[in-house]
Amino acid sequence: MPKASRPKRSPRTSPTSGGCGGWSRTFAAGASVGNCIYEDLSLPLRAVRDLIRRDVEKVKVDSRETCERLREFAAQYMPELAEKIEHCSGARPIFDMYGVEDEIQHALEKEVPLKSGGYLVIDQTEAMTTVDVNTGSFLGQRNLEETVYRTNLEAAQSVARQLRLRNLGGIIIIDFIDMVDAEHRRQVLRTLEKQLARDHAKTTVYDFSPLGLVEMTRKRTVESLQRQLSEPCHECSGRGTVKTAETVTYEVFREIVRAVRQFDAARLLVIASPKVVARITEEESNAVAELEEFLGKSIRFQADAQYLQGAVRRGPALIGGPTLVNAVD
């Protein structure tokens, strides 16, 4: 198939509009098979078009070719930005120079430390995002109310920044530490609103609820940073917790009884995670001895680091050998 011809842009439609507009509809009406009727901008150009605002001081690019393309694009469509685009020619990677990798890693963690010694705990769920504020090691200089007020002020600034960095949208509940003084609550709320004013996404903040919670919404544009860069844990299936070694131990005992009733084997082998095997051999040795006496069969346990601590699943019966019982996820 011959290479598709690329149409010229109509002066009526600018790439900064972010869509096809009347230009693509007009061209599509007379296009033939194989013609490209619309093609979005490359990632660097989209970033400049969608994310760069007038309050940005500089845009540094470590690729000379990309830098030139951005300057040409800005000169044509965003002239006020053209002089702000600079080529970064340092020997160190630009992400290392400005600590971008570290910021991304911090933005994927649940706990966010505050300079005062307090911290935030951010939980993202399907329905909403919750932010819990804690004083941590911050004791303050006057009294408890002063400590709480200072921590909440710092937390309000940090929350606004974290919402932008993590690109969190939808319903957001912020659980500030309880404050007795009504003026302190107003100041904390005002600080939060002031910091959110810098956000390019639309936000709506409501007053403190009777339970001391601040409810707000932030327009959801794309998936959050966590959803884009992470996937559910294969060990806990995204729950964030796994069964304890004690729980899995008793599940193994019950599965052994089921296996004996189904298979006629003289011996049994249980392969499990090292933590589960250690629990069985060190703390449940008497229970194992009683189980062997009850079943009239020998039971051997083998630790394998490849087995995850989770649910119990029965393995196949080995030909001419023991029944295999696996404690795996």
Side-chain angles (χ1 to χ4, degrees):
M1 181 176 178
K3 184 178 180 180
S5 60
R6 304 182 71 174
K8 296 182 179 180
R9 289 192 182 274
S10 167
R12 295 179 300 167
T13 303
S14 161
T16 57
S17 64
C20 300
W23 163 76
S24 62
R25 289 193 295 270
T26 301
F27 184 84
S32 58
V33 176
N35 287 128
C36 176
I37 62 173
Y38 177 73
E39 181 181 15
D40 201 0
L41 301 173
S42 63
L43 178 59
L45 296 182
R46 290 203 310 273
V48 169
R49 180 193 67 186
D50 300 336
L51 303 178
I52 306 303
R53 301 185 301 278
R54 293 185 177 181
D55 58 347
V56 172
E57 296 180 1
K58 291 182 181 180
V59 178
K60 294 194 175 184
V61 188
D62 59 355
S63 167
R64 189 174 297 278
E65 180 182 352
T66 302
C67 184
E68 290 302 322
R69 291 206 311 269
L70 292 179
R71 284 174 176 167
E72 294 174 1
F73 177 83
Q76 185 174 1
Y77 299 106
M78 308 168 70
E80 71 280 0
L81 180 63
E83 295 183 356
K84 298 181 179 180
I85 301 177
E86 299 180 359
H87 176 244
C88 183
S89 57
R92 295 175 59 194
I94 194 169
F95 272 30
D96 294 346
M97 188 180 304
Y98 293 97
V100 177
E101 294 284 0
D102 292 338
E103 288 292 341
I104 293 176
Q105 183 60 40
H106 294 330
L108 294 176
E109 297 174 355
K110 288 181 59 174
E111 191 169 304
V112 180
L114 302 176
K115 293 180 180 179
S116 63
Y119 59 94
L120 309 177
V121 178
I122 302 176
D123 276 309
Q124 183 182 358
T125 66
E126 290 295 331
M128 67 182 69
T129 298
T130 61
V131 182
D132 185 33
V133 183
N134 296 276
T135 57
S137 60
F138 183 40
L139 300 178
Q141 298 178 351
R142 296 184 181 179
N143 50 41
L144 180 59
E145 177 68 17
E146 180 71 14
T147 299
V148 168
Y149 174 55
R150 295 298 177 188
T151 302
N152 283 339
L153 278 180
E154 185 182 0
Q157 299 178 48
S158 182
V159 166
R161 182 171 184 268
Q162 289 299 320
L163 295 183
R164 294 196 303 271
L165 287 178
R166 300 169 186 243
N167 198 26
L168 298 171
I171 300 174
I172 301 166
I173 306 296
I174 308 172
D175 184 11
F176 287 106
I177 307 170
D178 292 338
M179 292 174 287
V180 177
D181 194 327
E183 179 60 26
H184 285 173
R185 290 197 294 270
R186 284 193 292 271
Q187 289 295 334
V188 169
L189 197 63
R190 190 174 298 127
T191 299
L192 177 63
E193 292 172 337
K194 181 179 178 180
Q195 295 298 319
L196 288 173
R198 303 170 53 191
D199 199 334
H200 67 277
K202 181 181 178 181
T203 58
T204 304
V205 182
Y206 299 92
D207 202 353
F208 277 89
S209 73
L211 294 177
L213 306 176
V214 172
E215 302 171 5
M216 63 167 290
T217 60
R218 184 175 185 271
K219 184 177 181 181
R220 194 189 305 274
T221 52
V222 295
E223 288 288 352
S224 68
L225 184 69
Q226 183 186 53
R227 299 280 168 81
Q228 293 186 55
L229 302 184
S230 307
E231 62 183 16
C233 171
H234 65 281
E235 183 169 352
C236 70
S237 301
R239 297 189 305 272
T241 59
V242 295
K243 294 179 180 178
T244 64
E246 181 181 15
T247 300
V248 178
T249 294
Y250 295 135
E251 289 183 351
V252 167
F253 289 164
R254 291 192 293 271
E255 187 59 33
I256 288 174
V257 175
R258 297 189 191 99
V260 169
R261 291 174 179 174
Q262 183 174 355
F263 300 104
D264 184 17
R267 294 174 293 116
L268 295 103
L269 171 66
V270 176
I271 303 178
S273 68
K275 192 173 181 180
V276 172
V277 172
R279 165 81 190 191
I280 294 174
T281 56
E282 295 174 8
E283 301 183 35
E284 301 292 343
S285 56
N286 292 336
V288 172
E290 293 176 1
L291 187 60
E292 287 180 323
E293 182 179 357
F294 172 75
L295 298 175
K297 300 180 185 297
S298 172
I299 306 173
R300 187 166 66 89
F301 298 91
Q302 177 180 321
D304 191 331
Q306 295 183 353
Y307 284 79
L308 305 177
Q309 181 178 316
V312 176
R313 185 175 62 199
R314 185 185 306 170
L318 303 180
I319 300 177
T323 298
L324 179 66
V325 180
N326 297 342
V328 299
D329 184 33

